[in-house]
Amino acid sequence: MLESVEKLKAAFEEALAKVSDSEELEKLRIAYLGKKGAVADFMKELKNMDNESKKEFGKEVNILKDAIDASIRSFGEKLDQARLDAQIRNAKKFDFTIPSDQPEGSLHPITIVQRRIEDIFKSMGFIIEDGLEIQTEYNNFEAVNIPKNHPARDMQDTYYLSNGQLLKTHTSAAQNYIMRKYGAPKKGEPPLKVLFPGRCFRNENIDACHENTFWQMEGMMIGEDISISNLIYFMKVLLSEVFERDIKVRLRPGFFPFVEPGFELDINCLICGGEGCPTCKNSGWLELLPCGMIHPNVLRMGGIDPDKYTGFAFGLGLTRLAMMKFGITDIRVLNSGNLKALKQFVD
Ligand code: DAH
């Protein structure tokens, strides 16, 4: 009896060696392991045996059954792998050099305005810096003269992380880092001029004019005799270049804890030319650019001696500027990912 088990095993191995695809393999499986297959036939014979032989023979048949099953499985895996390899070998090769027939993407309106301003400032010797989006409370507030419990923090509620850090509420959060990175200009060196755009976050109720995620563009110039005249000059160049015409500006006093004196720089309303219209609330002026002379405390915290150096800083609402430049009336479009809307803007 045991001999016939050996024989069956040999016959199976011989048949398996001839199998060349999964269909044949399945037929072989049915022939050996199926209900009416060779192994089942052996099992039937168990009935006619005495207990001792039943035990011995049964064990051998089970071993054989497992061995056939394992061989079929592993052969099946090999066949699958070979089929995949062949598919990959025969697949149409992708040619990276063929020009795409997909329509080109477009720049986001904020990116267009951001790049334009960066180019203007680079041509005037400014370095472009990148600020982190996750900031320490110190950098976002303390280092720009907004200590704990200062009422100015109320207007800049934001998203706090569980480690105590926060999503920055304004690009001013990078001022301290930049002052420490570059330091004040040495003797004979030109003033330090840096532009640092960035995405900012505030806990706002979202509507057509408010977003919890928006862009600002901050700039600083620090040197031995930097004055308000420098500030006005650079701001006028900036606005004239962006709007591509000469822009009338006016300075009003404005309070920001990190500048002294601080200003609101308004531009002559571009919609009505200063006559008064709903956009400028009939005043003829639009509030666009808060700025001022950097507060001595802020310079000191940045490691710069306020008795020797002065500087100006400005914080431009990039989102607002892009909306004005392109006539976008709903701020929500900008973060919507709506390609139909966003693809319309070109420089
Ligand atoms: N960080 C201010 C804000 O988000 C904007 C600002 C005002 C920046 C005056 C400045 C500045 O650098 O001088 O409200």
Side-chain angles (χ1 to χ4, degrees), residues 168-297:
K168 74 161 180 251
T169 61
H170 53 178
T171 39
S172 311
Q175 284 195 6
N176 187 270
Y177 161 79
I178 290 170
M179 284 182 207
R180 293 198 166 274
K181 177 170 174 186
Y182 293 99
K186 314 234 159 31
K187 253 222 142 15
E189 275 182 5
L192 170 66
K193 291 183 272 184
V194 194
L195 190 72
F196 37 113
R199 191 158 57 157
C200 306
F201 307 85
R202 289 190 198 174
N203 183 10
E204 295 277 1
N205 286 329
I206 298 175
D207 60 27
C209 312
H210 298 90
E211 248 291 7
N212 55 24
T213 305
F214 55 95
W215 288 79
Q216 289 188 342
M217 170 86 87
E218 185 116 351
M220 278 192 307
M221 179 170 181
I222 300 172
E224 282 196 17
D225 348 87
I226 304 301
S227 70
I228 296 173
S229 319
N230 299 103
L231 168 64
I232 296 174
Y233 170 78
F234 280 102
M235 296 307 96
K236 274 194 84 162
V237 173
L238 159 68
L239 296 171
S240 311
E241 294 273 342
V242 170
F243 291 105
E244 292 164 68
R245 58 183 119 154
D246 202 18
I247 299 282
K248 250 195 179 154
V249 302
R250 76 170 184 191
L251 279 184
R252 282 182 297 124
F255 173 73
F256 303 96
F258 31 91
V259 280
E260 177 58 38
F263 307 104
E264 291 281 3
L265 189 140
D266 300 338
I267 63 168
N268 209 12
C269 179
L270 299 175
I271 313 278
C272 61
E275 301 275 297
C277 70
T279 309
C280 60
K281 297 191 194 114
N282 281 321
S283 70
W285 295 95
L286 283 171
E287 208 175 271
L288 192 68
L289 230 175
C291 52
M293 300 304 292
I294 303 175
H295 196 288
N297 288 351

